[in-house]
Amino acid sequence: MAVPKRKMSRSRTRSRRAQWTTSLPALVPVATPDGSVVRVPRRLARAARRGVL
């Protein structure tokens, strides 16, 4: 495992962490059993088709 050789300053650490962001999941339209169409992430499409959501 990599071990830092020198202490990283607090401002340097926080500015590095501030660059991390998430991206919104791509939503796909799915027809539910009751006939309505909902937009859900692709990983939840099967559950939405079954009516679990």
Side-chain angles (χ1 to χ4, degrees), residues 22-35:
T22 60
S23 58
L24 290 173
L27 300 178
V28 294
V30 176
T32 58
D34 62 351

Side-chain angles (χ1 to χ4, degrees), residues 11-25:
S11 65
R12 188 177 175 107
T13 299
R14 289 182 179 164
S15 64
R16 176 177 48 80
R17 287 182 182 163
Q19 300 300 315
W20 183 87
T21 59
T22 60
S23 58
L24 290 173

Side-chain angles (χ1 to χ4, degrees), residues 4 8-10 16 19-20 22 26 31-32 37-38 41 44 47-48 50:
M8 189 181 272
S9 70
R10 183 176 291 169
R16 176 177 48 80
Q19 300 300 315
W20 183 87
T22 60
T32 58
V37 176
V38 294
L44 298 176
R50 291 182 189 159

